[in-house]
Amino acid sequence: MSTVKCLVWDLDDTLWDGVVLEGDRPRPFPAAIEALHTLDRRGILHAVAGRGELARATGHLAEHGLAELFCAVEVSWGEKSAAIRRIAAELNIGLDTIAFADNDPAERAEVAAALPMVRCYAAERVGELPGLTEFRPALVTGESRRRRHRYLAERSRAAAERAFPGSPPEFLASLDLRMTVRAATEADFGRAHELTLRTHQLNTTGRTLDSAELRALCATADHEVLVADVTDRFGAHGTVGLAVLRHDGADVVLELLLTSCRVLNRGIGTVLLGHLVRDVLARGRRPVARFVPTAANRIMLVTLRFAGFEPAGPDVLAFDPRRPPPPRPGHVRILDGRDR
């Protein structure tokens, strides 16, 4: 059973005791409040699929200091299953990673019939949910604990992009994107491991590395393990990139490069690769990259080839040092935080 990534809440008689649209001023159930905060600390998102009027519902959430806990809010008179579909699309997560809590058996039945992959729970069980296996991620990192804040920042970005009068490249330039490349530390190993597990399309080899393997690589003289953090004017994207470099004579071999899919439309993978190539060339070495094809990562082969890498053997591509290095990006400021 997959871990739940988002719990979708009904509001009236589920999150609180009463019906806001009927003039009630209901207080949230203490067990619901506890579940909200416990799951939030584990990196599990919250959303709303409720009945009534949006302004009244969000106003009541804000009155009780709960509005910022919800990354998506759907309040209408339509089917709850349709609302859950919209929430999954907005958050870019699979329906099989969503759970739904509602006091009304008919609402739960409608969702279960239309979306059998969504797990449904009665409202009276909300206090139990943090103790269930499906609500206990195997790995909780500092990055996952900040997941809600990233989604809220992304919602602000999306709204700003819709309202932006210029072209997409002009909007990117307006974001004040900054990428910091630095050596991984013990505090990064959990997040780096999480990235290898969750990143499939933007992973040059499909390789996964646990904390012990990352720690061992960092301890060797011929390896560098780097992470990339990205921020913009809306907030932090967090640690979204990982690179493992191996020094081999006159070559520096990119054993693994991956970037989170959530920054795909910001061009961060191309920016990180270009920075690494320029750095290796500046050291007088030849950049080499391993690429192991998987069912999902062809985009990374395209990225390597556009960056100037050519086939040099089985699962190996090399950059000709006589070529000019990739141009520096105009929309991202790169900060190299490594000790030299």
Side-chain angles (χ1 to χ4, degrees), residues 139 188-211 213-214 217 225-227 239-244 255-260 294:
L139 182 67
D188 297 306
F189 294 155
R191 170 57 178 166
H193 172 52
E194 183 182 44
L195 276 171
T196 68
L197 293 177
R198 295 167 64 98
T199 306
H200 306 291
Q201 286 182 295
L202 305 182
N203 184 324
T204 53
T205 67
R207 183 181 178 187
T208 63
L209 295 166
D210 62 24
S211 295
E213 291 172 306
L214 290 161
L217 287 171
V225 179
L226 307 176
V227 292
T239 300
V240 298
L242 173 68
V244 178
E255 293 281 349
L256 174 66
L257 175 69
L258 62 85
T259 54
S260 171
T294 70

Side-chain angles (χ1 to χ4, degrees), residues 141-158:
T141 66
E143 189 80 12
S144 58
R145 284 189 287 269
R146 293 187 290 271
R147 186 165 289 135
R148 167 173 58 93
H149 301 282
R150 294 202 313 272
Y151 272 88
L152 292 173
E154 186 56 36
R155 189 164 67 185
S156 297
R157 289 185 193 99

Side-chain angles (χ1 to χ4, degrees), residues 40-325:
D40 179 65
R41 288 192 294 269
R42 296 176 187 173
I44 294 174
L45 306 175
H46 296 292
V48 168
R51 298 279 184 216
E53 295 178 359
L54 178 61
R56 296 280 289 275
T58 55
H60 200 67
L61 286 170
E63 183 179 325
H64 290 278
L66 301 177
E68 290 296 307
L69 283 170
F70 293 92
C71 294
V73 178
E74 291 279 341
V75 178
S76 68
W77 299 107
E79 293 179 336
K80 294 286 184 73
S81 60
I84 290 172
R85 287 185 188 276
R86 292 192 293 271
I87 288 167
E90 180 177 346
L91 300 181
N92 194 27
I93 58 177
L95 286 163
D96 62 336
T97 67
I98 288 180
F100 174 58
D102 197 301
N103 68 297
D104 188 336
E107 299 281 24
R108 299 196 303 272
E110 186 275 323
V111 170
L115 304 172
M117 70 291 289
V118 172
R119 286 156 277 190
C120 299
Y121 303 89
E124 57 266 26
R125 295 193 63 197
V126 160
E128 305 171 22
L129 299 187
L132 301 182
T133 301
E134 58 265 38
F135 289 91
R136 303 184 70 87
L139 182 67
V140 178
T141 66
E143 189 80 12
S144 58
R145 284 189 287 269
R146 293 187 290 271
R147 186 165 289 135
R148 167 173 58 93
H149 301 282
R150 294 202 313 272
Y151 272 88
L152 292 173
E154 186 56 36
R155 189 164 67 185
S156 297
R157 289 185 193 99
E161 187 166 13
R162 287 192 297 269
F164 190 76
S167 66
E170 288 171 332
F171 176 73
L172 270 182
S174 77
L175 285 175
D176 189 24
L177 280 158
R178 300 184 181 203
M179 181 176 73
T180 300
V181 180
R182 57 185 177 80
T185 66
E186 185 72 30
D188 297 306
F189 294 155
R191 170 57 178 166
H193 172 52
E194 183 182 44
L195 276 171
T196 68
L197 293 177
R198 295 167 64 98
T199 306
H200 306 291
Q201 286 182 295
L202 305 182
N203 184 324
T204 53
T205 67
R207 183 181 178 187
T208 63
L209 295 166
D210 62 24
S211 295
E213 291 172 306
L214 290 161
R215 189 178 299 110
L217 287 171
C218 287
T220 65
D222 60 345
H223 281 85
E224 288 183 81
V225 179
L226 307 176
V227 292
D229 305 320
V230 174
T231 64
D232 64 20
R233 62 186 173 92
F234 291 99
H237 290 270
T239 300
V240 298
L242 173 68
V244 178
L245 306 177
R246 178 172 57 86
H247 298 264
D248 183 14
D251 295 341
V252 176
V253 182
L254 186 57
E255 293 281 349
L256 174 66
L257 175 69
L258 62 85
T259 54
S260 171
C261 293
R262 71 171 185 263
V263 292
L264 174 62
N265 63 350
R266 305 296 185 239
I268 295 301
T270 300
V271 170
L272 177 57
L273 176 61
H275 174 69
L276 296 174
V277 169
R278 288 191 298 273
D279 179 69
V280 171
L281 292 173
R283 301 189 216 182
R285 315 278 285 280
R286 182 179 72 149
V288 175
R290 290 192 66 236
F291 175 79
V292 179
T294 70
N297 72 348
R298 181 171 173 76
I299 188 174
M300 291 305 283
L301 176 60
V302 174
T303 299
L304 288 164
R305 294 301 303 271
F306 268 104
F309 284 82
E310 299 289 344
D315 298 337
V316 175
L317 298 96
F319 188 96
D320 187 344
R322 295 170 297 183
R323 292 180 57 132

Side-chain angles (χ1 to χ4, degrees), residues 9-18 29 32 101-104 123 126:
W9 295 72
D10 173 50
L11 295 178
D12 295 332
D13 295 322
T14 298
L15 180 57
W16 46 58
D17 186 14
F29 293 111
D102 197 301
N103 68 297
D104 188 336
V126 160

